[in-house]
Amino acid sequence: QMQLVESGGDLVQPGGSLRLSCAASGGPTEFRFYAVAWFRQAPGKEREGISCISLGDGGEAYGEAVKGRFTTSRDNVKNVAYLQMNSLQEDDTAEYICAAAEYAYCSGIVPPSDEFDDWGQGTQVTVSS
């Protein structure tokens, strides 16, 4: 099983930016063979798929709420996936969690959470003035 550790969460003002990191280690397969997704969960709300990046240098997918504001990327040498978040809004306040799925692609949409086997513990993002 791959271990995932998120970092970068913080308190930020509306309109600000943050970059989250998801560091991967272990696992039966190299990191580059995993799709990595970001989900978020706010109190009282369902878990929401934010972004996904396919294995290798494959395609990306984004949830409607963050399209045009958030960008996901990966470094297959450092075994890290990133979520760059710009123009943050108070509605973006949530715990952000990364997840990985072996030999998976993100074909235009963020796959549902049950398609991901490995999960991190999450990092808190709070957007408030």
Side-chain angles (χ1 to χ4, degrees), residues 3-128:
Q3 287 74 51
L4 303 171
V5 179
E6 303 92 335
S7 61
D10 205 345
L11 170 65
V12 62
Q13 292 188 342
S17 297
L18 280 176
R19 187 177 80 158
L20 306 183
S21 299
C22 173
S25 62
T29 311
E30 293 179 27
F31 175 70
R32 62 192 176 101
F33 292 121
Y34 287 79
V36 181
W38 286 92
F39 292 83
R40 69 184 181 187
Q41 187 151 24
K45 295 185 178 180
E46 291 187 0
R47 182 170 289 182
E48 178 184 11
I50 295 303
S51 70
C52 184
I53 186 165
S54 296
L55 62 84
D57 292 323
E60 302 154 29
Y62 297 93
E64 288 297 324
V66 305
K67 278 183 180 177
R69 300 189 297 126
F70 291 11
T71 304
T72 189
S73 60
R74 65 191 300 158
D75 185 328
N76 292 328
V77 174
K78 295 181 178 179
N79 292 351
V80 181
Y82 301 100
L83 182 67
Q84 177 66 43
M85 306 187 295
N86 298 328
S87 302
L88 283 161
Q89 306 164 358
E90 291 189 353
D91 285 349
D92 294 319
T93 295
E95 184 172 53
Y96 285 71
I97 311 156
C98 66
E102 196 175 7
Y103 299 121
Y105 290 89
C106 315
S107 302
I109 61 170
V110 181
S113 58
D114 59 7
E115 294 195 14
F116 294 86
D117 299 315
D118 302 317
W119 292 82
Q121 295 299 308
T123 186
Q124 179 67 33
V125 172
T126 302
V127 184
S128 175

